[in-house]
Amino acid sequence: MDREELQRQLLATFRAELEDHSAALNKGLLEIEKDLPPDERDELLKALFRSAHSIKGSARAVDLKDIHTVAHKMEDVLGALKTGELTSSYQLVDSLLRATDLLNDAMRLHLDGLVLPFEARRAVMSDMDSVLRGELSDVGNKIHEPAVSLENGEADRVGTETDDNLRTEQGEAKPKKKTETVSAGKTAESKPVSLGNRGGDTIRVSTEKLDGLMVGMGELLGARMRMEQRLGELKSVQTVLGGWEKHWRKIRAKKRDVERRVKGDPDLETLTAFFTRNEIHLNDVGQKINRLCELLEGDYRHLALLTDDIQDGVRRVRMVPVSTLFDLFPRMIRNIAREKGKEVQLILEGVETEIDRQVLEGLKDPLTHLLRNAIDHGIELPDQRLEKGKSREGTIYLKALQRGNHIVLEVSDDGAGINLPAVRGAAVKNNLISPVDAEKMGLDETIDLLFQSGLSTHAAVTELSGRGVGMDVVREQLENLHGQVKTYTEMNKGTTFTLILPLTLATIHVLMLKVANQTVAVPNTSVERILQLKPEQIKRMEGKSAINVDGRALPLFPMDRILELPGFEKAENAGQKIKVVILGAVEKRLAFQVEEFLGVQEVVIKNLGPQLQRVRNISGATILGTGQVVMILNAGSMIYSAQGFKGVNLMRKIRGKPAVAKKILVVDDSITTRTLEKNILENAGYHVAQAADGVEGWERMQDESFDAVVFDIEMPRMDGFQLTEKVRHDTRFEDLPIVLVTSLESTEDKIRGMEVGADVYITKGTFDQQALLETIERLIG
């Protein structure tokens, strides 16, 4: 291994170590601001000192002198605290927190071949020197700027330093987001969290490897589902054979009669001998199938047990305690509270609750917005709280708990509660609703307005509020995570947001539904209730169908219309019940009529990829054991589609136009995309053929005739551009409509598509069902 490669590996190792120690420093420094028992405080200071000492030693080992220098000074301050030469104060903690930020900034720059600017190091070192000298008056009395300003500033390039404090040659660094401002507040936890290493052997594994394991696990689950399907098919053969044997046993006595009657007739004796051999073979095949069923069922049970064990193991490896996210918030609360002039205590509960890393990453922005809003909108100023008979200090709770296959998070405060009239007034002012609608709105409808983009009740724009963003981010992110949020508020008592999410996104439990004679799936987290209603229970409300659910009128929509699928017309029998599923997303709930409930099943989610991520109403796909591709519905998107529903089925109108069904060839190397486009076109009344790449598509065009073709561009063997050009150079296809559906959105690609002879160029980023159908209809009718 050469020296350069060794240095890269050492830096990567040190980076991971620094992340652990800086997290411990951030958490521990906030702890020492509390009134801790002496023994607990001493242990905490020892742990903090060890973290700074470890960073210093490791930085020296990998020759990162700037990090070594800062960590050494932190060690001096923490050592003085440990011996009692210094006492804890807000200014001292602030200085050490800024130094911790600086260590992480320095590491990011080193990975890009840069070092910290000299001025940044000097500023932080000067702060800590002032702390050591007891000169606290000017330290931390103002809101600090970031320790390293990299938005318009510069970072030092790596060079040889003869002294740690010498300036080096300067160079540009990559931009970095602004750090949090510093202010005062308090934090608390339901139980102490010790610093330092946990017991047991550990090994660091990259998240990419874990993601790869989960993908492989998903494929193994798919194989198990297919094996279960094959077992079911074999059992159906066993059932048929058993019926055959039963029927044969009933007529076997007659066979013996026939044998006695035909004795002496060679031809008929041959026939009865065949029946005898047939009985023997039937028994033999029956025994073998029974044995095969028994063995296959045993193998399936064994595979199921192994799969469950491996799945649980992989999940456990991917599971991390929510404390890895929760630990980011005490410092944020502390800073924002001081900036807003408020006194706030943050109480964390259930910090050891574990959740899938991917879900946890998706929760960072929603929780950040909810906590910021709790301080900015919820918690009152100290004097205002005293006037209301409350304590000066407000409390925010952040809780986590596991409930079955779901994780439940709560963000609650004891503040002013949501001012519902102000919310409605802001919605009217921002043209989200009319004044007339505002007067009719109930509690649920008003709370739903909070999650609309562009709504803000703040009169002035601040760093935290007033831009009309934040709660819509919560809504969108929870929809992506297949989660829900429930809101409870009471004036002058406070507000609680309850987030409900799946423990993992790799596999989920879904409710399988039949809609327009097709199978679709809805995540269980989005299903609030399923009902079977009598026709007379369907009422009319303002000209639309509605049902009564717990004393509340809930609009009822036909799911096939919302999905723009052709309605599956069938005669309703008298007294036949209507199937209804109630879906919820964020604060919205709506009822949808479906044909059948097909049961609950655990499935592996297949992402549609960036090309189709904006397809309305769909969040992914799964492949059943039969090989059938089933689309997984996005409940949030379904609800918002239903809000704009006018009762017109565009798909059915288009479907009725072709007198003779026309034939379309879809060529795409993605089975998910092919299946999606095939379903869209077939539901509109077209016949559809498929090919997996350009070569296969060209071969099919030699044997079959088509009224139009739909090509992807990025395909193996022959891409869409090459295929289009080849088709256009053949006089047989000079008038054949060609549609390119691709993720390539650049102007150059679009121009090239037109140059090689495509009639229409549709980008998958803006792709929807109606656009494809309208294009095909315009080209071939």
Side-chain angles (χ1 to χ4, degrees):
M1 182 185 299
D2 60 30
R3 182 179 179 81
E4 186 177 346
E5 178 62 25
L6 176 61
Q7 182 65 12
R8 277 198 297 269
Q9 290 190 10
L10 288 173
L11 282 177
T13 303
F14 176 69
R15 179 189 185 183
E17 182 182 358
L18 178 62
E19 287 176 353
D20 288 344
H21 285 305
S22 62
L25 285 167
N26 267 305
K27 189 172 184 179
L29 288 170
L30 296 178
E31 286 285 310
I32 65 173
E33 288 188 312
K34 304 175 189 175
D35 186 17
L36 300 174
D39 290 347
E40 189 176 326
R41 180 182 178 81
D42 289 345
E43 287 301 314
L44 184 60
L45 287 172
K46 287 178 184 177
L48 291 170
F49 182 84
R50 284 196 301 270
S51 288
H53 181 77
S54 296
I55 292 172
K56 182 189 76 171
S58 298
R60 179 193 297 154
V62 293
D63 199 27
L64 301 182
K65 295 181 179 179
D66 48 1
I67 293 180
H68 170 269
T69 302
V70 175
H72 193 172
K73 187 64 69 176
M74 292 178 71
E75 187 183 41
D76 291 342
V77 175
L78 289 166
L81 265 178
K82 189 158 64 84
T83 59
E85 298 172 45
L86 290 176
T87 57
S88 177
S89 66
Y90 168 78
Q91 293 88 347
L92 181 147
V93 170
D94 181 40
S95 176
L96 290 173
L97 286 172
R98 294 184 68 223
T100 304
D101 288 343
L102 195 75
L103 297 177
N104 290 303
D105 292 335
M107 190 68 241
R108 283 191 289 270
L109 292 172
H110 279 299
L111 293 173
D112 290 330
L114 305 167
V115 294
L116 283 167
F118 173 72
E119 287 81 1
R121 275 180 284 166
R122 183 171 61 183
V124 170
M125 297 285 285
S126 177
D127 272 1
M128 288 190 288
D129 282 333
S130 297
V131 167
L132 285 169
R133 292 193 299 267
E135 300 169 0
L136 303 176
S137 58
D138 293 326
V139 180
N141 288 340
K142 63 183 189 314
I143 302 300
H144 287 295
E145 291 300 316
V148 186
S149 178
L150 299 177
E151 298 203 31
N152 298 307
E154 296 178 330
D156 295 332
R157 294 194 183 278
V158 174
T160 303
E161 294 185 285
T162 56
D163 185 273
D164 289 334
N165 294 324
L166 290 179
R167 182 194 303 269
T168 62
E169 178 188 359
Q170 290 189 337
E172 295 296 327
K174 295 182 178 180
K176 170 183 172 294
K177 290 184 178 179
K178 201 171 183 180
T179 58
E180 298 289 343
T181 54
V182 177
S183 48
K186 296 183 180 179
T187 61
E189 291 185 311
S190 56
K191 60 180 180 178
V193 178
S194 67
L195 297 172
N197 295 327
R198 297 182 180 182
D201 294 332
T202 61
I203 183 171
R204 293 186 181 277
V205 180
S206 68
T207 56
E208 290 80 7
K209 290 181 178 179
L210 292 180
D211 291 341
L213 275 177
M214 187 53 81
V215 170
M217 186 65 245
E219 294 302 324
L220 184 57
L221 285 173
R224 187 180 82 178
M225 290 168 59
R226 290 190 294 274
M227 187 175 182
E228 184 180 19
Q229 178 69 26
R230 301 294 91 78
L231 178 60
E233 292 169 358
L234 184 59
K235 284 186 173 181
S236 68
V237 173
Q238 184 185 36
T239 300
V240 171
L241 192 60
W244 186 4
E245 287 180 315
K246 184 177 180 181
H247 183 65
W248 175 250
R249 283 195 299 271
K250 288 181 179 180
I251 65 171
R252 190 163 46 191
K254 295 181 180 179
K255 169 181 161 292
R256 287 193 290 270
D257 259 354
V258 172
E259 287 175 341
R260 285 194 296 269
R261 292 177 189 176
V262 302
K263 195 169 184 179
D265 187 328
D267 293 334
L268 292 178
E269 284 183 344
T270 301
L271 183 60
T272 56
F274 170 76
F275 285 143
T276 301
R277 288 194 302 273
N278 188 67
E279 181 179 6
I280 294 170
H281 290 320
L282 180 61
N283 290 333
D284 186 43
V285 170
Q287 290 175 9
K288 287 181 178 178
I289 287 184
N290 290 339
R291 178 60 177 162
L292 185 59
C293 274
E294 183 182 340
L295 292 173
L296 186 58
E297 190 164 15
D299 289 344
Y300 169 73
R301 285 197 299 267
H302 184 61
L303 176 63
L305 288 172
L306 286 178
T307 305
D308 288 341
D309 288 344
I310 296 172
Q311 184 180 20
D312 289 342
V314 173
R315 280 177 176 170
R316 283 196 297 271
V317 171
R318 284 174 56 96
M319 301 289 270
V320 292
V322 295
S323 59
T324 57
L325 176 59
F326 282 13
D327 288 347
L328 302 176
F329 297 128
R331 184 175 174 189
M332 181 190 82
I333 297 294
R334 169 186 185 269
N335 293 346
I336 296 172
R338 179 170 174 84
E339 180 185 346
K340 306 299 292 184
K342 298 180 179 182
E343 296 179 12
V344 181
Q345 135 175 257
L346 174 65
I347 297 181
L348 305 177
E349 295 182 5
V351 294
E352 295 302 320
T353 304
E354 293 191 331
I355 188 172
D356 187 279
R357 177 186 58 80
Q358 184 181 359
V359 178
L360 196 66
E361 289 173 354
L363 283 171
K364 182 177 180 181
D365 285 345
L367 289 179
T368 297
H369 285 298
L370 291 175
L371 290 169
R372 284 174 175 266
N373 281 349
I375 300 176
D376 203 29
H377 291 275
I379 302 296
E380 310 95 332
L381 291 167
D383 291 343
Q384 293 173 339
R385 291 181 62 85
L386 290 175
E387 290 174 3
K388 296 178 179 180
K390 300 181 179 180
S391 64
R392 291 178 55 87
E393 183 181 71
T395 303
I396 298 175
Y397 291 90
L398 179 56
K399 306 177 185 179
L401 61 95
Q402 183 178 341
R403 187 179 296 161
N405 290 321
H406 300 97
I407 185 81
V408 179
L409 302 172
E410 277 190 10
V411 179
S412 59
D413 65 73
D414 63 350
I418 298 173
N419 188 334
L420 300 178
V423 171
R424 289 190 287 266
V428 172
K429 182 179 179 181
N430 289 281
N431 297 316
L432 296 177
I433 58 173
S434 68
V436 175
D437 290 336
E439 292 179 3
K440 299 178 182 177
M441 277 193 162
L443 175 63
D444 292 339
E445 292 84 2
T446 303
I447 289 178
D448 179 60
L449 290 172
L450 290 172
F451 297 92
Q452 301 299 315
S453 178
L455 180 79
S456 176
T457 58
H458 257 294
V461 173
T462 69
E463 285 296 319
L464 297 179
S465 305
R467 291 185 172 87
V469 296
M471 296 303 286
D472 60 315
V473 172
V474 174
R475 183 201 72 212
E476 292 172 8
Q477 192 62 17
L478 285 175
E479 287 178 2
N480 293 336
L481 295 172
H482 304 294
Q484 292 190 53
V485 59
K486 301 179 185 295
T487 307
Y488 172 80
T489 186
E490 186 175 353
M491 287 298 292
N492 293 321
K493 294 293 181 66
T495 302
T496 298
F497 293 95
T498 303
L499 284 60
I500 305 171
L501 304 111
L503 277 176
T504 179
L505 294 180
T507 61
I508 60 171
H509 287 81
V510 295
L511 173 64
M512 309 296 287
L513 304 168
K514 182 184 285 187
V515 180
N517 211 25
Q518 293 193 35
T519 302
V520 296
V522 182
N524 277 9
T525 49
S526 301
V527 178
E528 293 205 346
R529 193 178 300 182
I530 60 175
L531 304 169
Q532 297 194 63
L533 304 176
K534 297 177 181 178
E536 56 266 26
Q537 291 178 277
I538 310 298
K539 307 299 183 183
R540 301 292 291 177
M541 185 180 68
E542 298 181 355
K544 295 181 179 179
S545 299
I547 60 175
N548 187 328
V549 180
D550 299 330
R552 177 187 171 191
L554 204 61
L556 175 64
F557 297 90
M559 186 174 282
D560 58 341
R561 301 287 187 90
I562 302 304
L563 293 175
E564 300 179 16
L565 298 173
F568 183 65
E569 304 293 345
K570 63 178 182 179
E572 298 288 345
N573 297 326
Q576 183 176 5
K577 295 198 173 176
I578 296 170
K579 279 80 172 177
V580 174
V581 57
I582 298 176
L583 301 184
V586 191
E587 282 293 334
K588 274 287 186 182
R589 284 141 192 81
L590 287 181
F592 296 88
Q593 181 178 348
V594 301
E595 290 171 32
E596 295 290 344
F597 303 126
L598 302 178
V600 175
Q601 186 171 342
E602 184 180 20
V603 299
V604 180
I605 298 179
K606 301 287 186 181
N607 291 325
L608 296 179
Q611 302 95 333
L612 300 177
Q613 64 183 356
R614 298 182 189 175
V615 175
R616 189 169 60 251
N617 303 325
I618 295 173
S619 62
T622 189
I623 302 177
L624 303 183
T626 59
Q628 179 185 3
V629 176
V630 172
M631 294 300 157
I632 299 175
L633 304 182
N634 183 318
S637 181
M638 290 277 294
I639 289 171
Y640 283 97
S641 294
Q643 288 178 318
F645 176 67
K646 297 179 180 179
V648 178
N649 190 338
L650 297 176
M651 297 281 288
R652 184 175 296 181
K653 287 169 59 179
I654 295 173
R655 185 185 182 194
K657 289 188 176 181
V660 177
K662 300 194 176 179
K663 194 170 182 180
I664 299 171
L665 173 65
V666 173
V667 185
D668 198 304
D669 63 326
S670 166
I671 184 175
T672 303
T673 303
R674 287 201 313 273
T675 303
L676 177 63
E677 292 176 354
K678 178 178 182 290
N679 287 343
I680 291 171
L681 293 168
E682 285 186 341
N683 289 329
Y686 298 104
H687 288 317
V688 179
Q690 301 178 77
D693 57 44
V695 171
E696 184 183 343
W698 176 250
E699 290 172 351
R700 292 209 66 162
M701 292 180 70
Q702 309 312 303
D703 301 327
E704 304 173 56
S705 61
F706 299 98
D707 297 288
V709 290
V710 179
F711 297 157
D712 183 29
I713 289 181
E714 297 175 293
M715 297 184 293
R717 298 206 290 175
M718 182 190 297
D719 64 32
F721 288 137
Q722 295 168 333
L723 179 56
T724 300
E725 194 168 23
K726 191 176 184 68
V727 170
R728 281 292 179 248
H729 285 166
D730 192 315
T731 56
R732 294 174 297 167
F733 308 124
E734 57 186 4
D735 296 322
L736 179 67
I738 299 177
V739 179
L740 293 179
V741 180
T742 176
S743 60
L744 301 178
E745 300 186 14
S746 69
T747 303
E748 293 79 6
D749 289 319
K750 293 177 182 178
I751 292 173
R752 185 182 175 194
M754 297 301 105
E755 287 177 345
V756 295
D759 294 284
V760 178
Y761 190 105
I762 300 176
T763 57
K764 291 181 180 178
T766 57
F767 171 83
D768 63 30
Q769 300 178 14
Q770 189 174 345
L772 178 61
L773 289 169
E774 288 179 348
T775 298
I776 295 295
E777 182 188 5
R778 176 167 53 84
L779 292 173
I780 65 176

